[in-house]
Amino acid sequence: MAVWDDVVGQDRVTEQLAAAARDADALVTAEHAGAGHGAGRPEPEPSADRGASQMTHAWLFTGPPGSGRSTAARAFAAALQCVSPDRALGGAPGCGFCDGCHTTLVGTHADVEIVRTDLLSIGVKETRDLVRRSSLSPAGGRWQVIVLEDADRLTEGAGNVLLKAVEEPAPRTVWLLCAPSVEDVLPTIRSRCRHLSLRTPPVGAVADVLVRRDGIEPEAADRAARATQGHIGRARRLATDERARARRAAVLKLPLRVDDIGGCLKAAQELIDAAGEDAKQVAEEVDTKETEELRAALGAAAGTGGRMPRGTAGAMKELQDKQKRRSTRTQRDSLDLALVDLTGFYRDVLALQMGASVPLANDEVRDSIHRIATASTPERTLRRIEAVIACREALDRNVAPLLAVEAMTAALRAG
C-alpha cells in the first residue's frame, strides 16, 4: 500500500507531492553518487516533462478540519524517506513498505519529528527546540523533516522564532506546516512556503477508507461518514467508540429541549458537564502517569506521598500548569465537537425547509428534524445556525463556557 492511499479524496495534492518526492529522491541519489557537493542547497536536475524542480524546503498544508492535512504531510514525509529498491528501477518513492516509509508513518523515524500539541498554544521554548533540531544533518543521509501539525497554534513569539529557520533552512531540512487556513499562519512564514489546499473529502471516500483500513462494516462506515460530513478522524471515532455515539445522540436531542428558559439552562449545563467529563477522563488516563514519572525522575521517595527533593517544586509546578492547560483544551475541543454536531442538525433542518435534494447527515433523527422544520421557517433556522457559530467564536475569545452556551441555547429557543 503506497503512502498516498490514506490521503483521501485529494488527487491533485497527491500528484504534486508525488512529483516533489521524485525530484527530492533524484537530488539525494545524485548526491550519494558524488554530485552536488557545492555550497548552499543543491537543486536536482529538472525532469524534461515537468520543467523546474517540484521540491522545496517549506510547505504549508491547509484545509478544513478532517480534510487530512496532517495525513498528507506524514505521507509526504514518508515518501521523502523512502528507501525502496524499486526506485532504482523507475519506481516512485512512497512505497509504504520499506523501513523509511514504515518508521515515518508509525512515528519512529530518527529524521522525522512529528509535532502536535494537546495544549492551547505552542510557545517560544518548544519552537526553539524545533529550530535546533532542524539545524542537524539527517542521520540517515536523506532529509531532516519537521512536521508541525498545529502551526495555527504558534504564539506570535514562536512564529517569529520559526521564521528564521524557514527563511534560511539548513541543507536537507524540510518543514511541513499544517493549519486550517493561510490566515492562521504569519504572513512572513506563509510567503516562504509552498501552499497546498486540501478539500473536505467526499463522504463515499471516507466510508471506503474506514472499511478498507479499519475493518468497519460498510453500513456503519457509511453512517459515520455521512454524520460527520467527510471528517475522517471524527468518522473513525464515531464508528469505533460507543461513548462518542452516545454523546452525539444526546447533542442531537438538544433542539427539542429548549422550549423554555429552564430547558435552555439545563441543556447548557449538561453540555458543559459532558465536556468536563471528557477532560476528567483524559486527566485520569494521562496526568497520574506523568506525575509519577516526573517524581521518579526527580528522585522522590517511593509512594505518591513521598517527599520531593529540594529544588524540584518548580518542575512539578510546570507540569501541573501544563496539565491544567491540556484539560482546558480537551474541554473546549469536546464542546466544539458538540457544537459542530448541532450545526449539522440545523443544516438538515434547513435542507428540508428549502426542499434541497441532498442526503441528511443525521438521518437517524429524521423525525426530530422534520418536527423542527415544520414548526419554524428558514429564516429562523439560519439565525439558529448563526447562534451556534457565535458560541464557537465566543469560546475562541475565552468567554466563560457556561455563559456562552447558555446564550446560545436561549438564542436557539428564540429562533
Side-chain angles (χ1 to χ4, degrees):
M1 182 179 71
V3 296
W4 314 111
D5 289 354
D6 288 343
V7 185
V8 182
Q10 313 291 345
D11 293 343
R12 180 183 58 83
V13 168
T14 54
E15 287 176 5
Q16 294 182 57
L17 293 176
R22 287 194 297 269
D23 284 346
D25 185 61
L27 187 152
V28 173
T29 301
E31 287 199 356
H32 284 180
H37 291 296
R41 176 179 293 274
E43 293 292 337
E45 289 295 326
S47 302
D49 59 337
R50 295 197 306 272
S53 171
Q54 304 298 303
M55 184 57 187
T56 189
H57 68 279
W59 299 74
L60 175 60
F61 297 79
T62 66
S67 58
R69 301 184 301 261
S70 59
T71 301
R74 284 177 176 234
F76 184 40
L80 292 176
Q81 305 293 6
C82 183
V83 292
S84 169
D86 292 341
R87 294 174 299 116
L89 304 175
C95 65
F97 296 102
C98 71
D99 184 66
C101 288
H102 176 71
T103 54
T104 298
L105 293 176
V106 300
T108 59
H109 197 289
D111 293 327
V112 179
E113 182 79 4
I114 307 293
V115 183
R116 70 179 69 84
T117 183
D118 51 10
L119 306 179
L120 296 174
S121 62
I122 299 174
V124 171
K125 179 182 177 182
E126 301 97 310
T127 308
R128 282 180 176 152
D129 291 339
L130 279 182
V131 171
R132 281 193 290 269
R133 165 73 183 262
S134 72
S135 65
L136 302 175
S137 297
R142 295 188 67 80
W143 300 93
Q144 181 78 250
V145 184
I146 312 292
V147 182
L148 186 54
E149 293 188 357
D150 299 298
D152 55 308
R153 295 187 181 274
L154 289 167
T155 63
E156 184 176 355
N160 290 329
V161 171
L162 178 64
L163 174 60
K164 189 67 174 177
V166 173
E167 189 174 33
E168 298 178 4
R172 295 285 190 83
T173 293
V174 181
W175 288 90
L176 307 180
L177 312 181
C178 304
S181 70
V182 293
E183 286 75 20
D184 293 310
V185 180
L186 285 177
T188 48
I189 291 179
R190 67 183 186 233
S191 65
R192 289 161 174 80
C193 298
R194 183 167 297 169
H195 178 216
L196 292 177
S197 179
L198 284 71
R199 65 187 182 110
T200 299
V203 169
V206 174
D208 177 69
V209 79
L210 291 180
V211 172
R212 171 173 52 83
R213 186 174 60 189
D214 300 295
I216 296 169
E217 291 296 323
E219 184 178 349
D222 181 71
R223 185 166 55 248
R226 187 174 63 251
T228 57
Q229 291 296 287
H231 191 299
I232 302 171
R234 288 180 54 212
R236 182 178 296 110
R237 181 184 178 195
L238 196 62
T240 58
D241 187 346
E242 179 62 34
R243 195 167 65 94
R245 291 193 290 272
R247 288 282 172 84
R248 181 172 178 275
V251 170
L252 295 181
K253 293 178 182 177
L254 186 146
L256 299 177
R257 301 175 54 204
V258 292
D259 292 335
D260 54 55
I261 291 298
C264 293
L265 298 180
K266 184 177 180 181
Q269 186 64 60
E270 289 178 0
L271 276 183
I272 297 298
D273 290 345
E277 186 63 29
D278 281 345
K280 181 180 178 181
Q281 183 180 23
V282 171
E284 290 175 349
E285 294 173 353
V286 180
D287 288 6
T288 302
K289 180 180 178 181
E290 283 183 343
T291 301
E292 287 306 306
E293 287 178 348
L294 181 59
R295 287 174 58 86
L298 295 176
T304 57
R307 289 179 59 85
M308 294 289 296
R310 290 185 178 181
T312 60
M316 292 299 298
K317 179 65 165 58
E318 183 178 352
L319 176 61
Q320 291 167 0
D321 290 342
K322 175 185 174 182
Q323 292 172 343
K324 183 177 180 180
R325 294 195 301 271
R326 179 169 59 210
S327 177
T328 301
R329 164 83 186 270
T330 303
Q331 184 176 13
R332 287 188 183 180
D333 286 350
S334 176
L335 189 54
D336 189 68
L337 182 58
L339 298 179
V340 170
D341 287 334
L342 197 57
T343 304
F345 180 94
Y346 285 113
R347 171 262 190 195
D348 287 346
V349 170
L350 187 62
L352 282 186
Q353 291 173 329
M354 302 301 293
S357 57
V358 295
L360 298 183
N362 305 285
D363 194 62
E364 69 273 24
V365 291
R366 178 180 287 270
D367 290 344
S368 298
I369 293 170
H370 188 268
R371 177 178 168 182
I372 298 292
T374 55
S376 64
T377 64
E379 291 78 13
R380 294 183 68 187
T381 302
L382 284 173
R383 286 196 292 270
R384 285 166 171 157
I385 292 175
E386 289 170 353
V388 179
I389 295 173
C391 181
R392 297 182 70 190
E393 293 174 345
L395 293 172
D396 282 341
R397 297 194 301 269
N398 292 322
V399 173
L402 183 58
L403 292 178
V405 177
E406 284 179 346
M408 179 196 71
T409 55
L412 295 180
R413 174 178 177 270

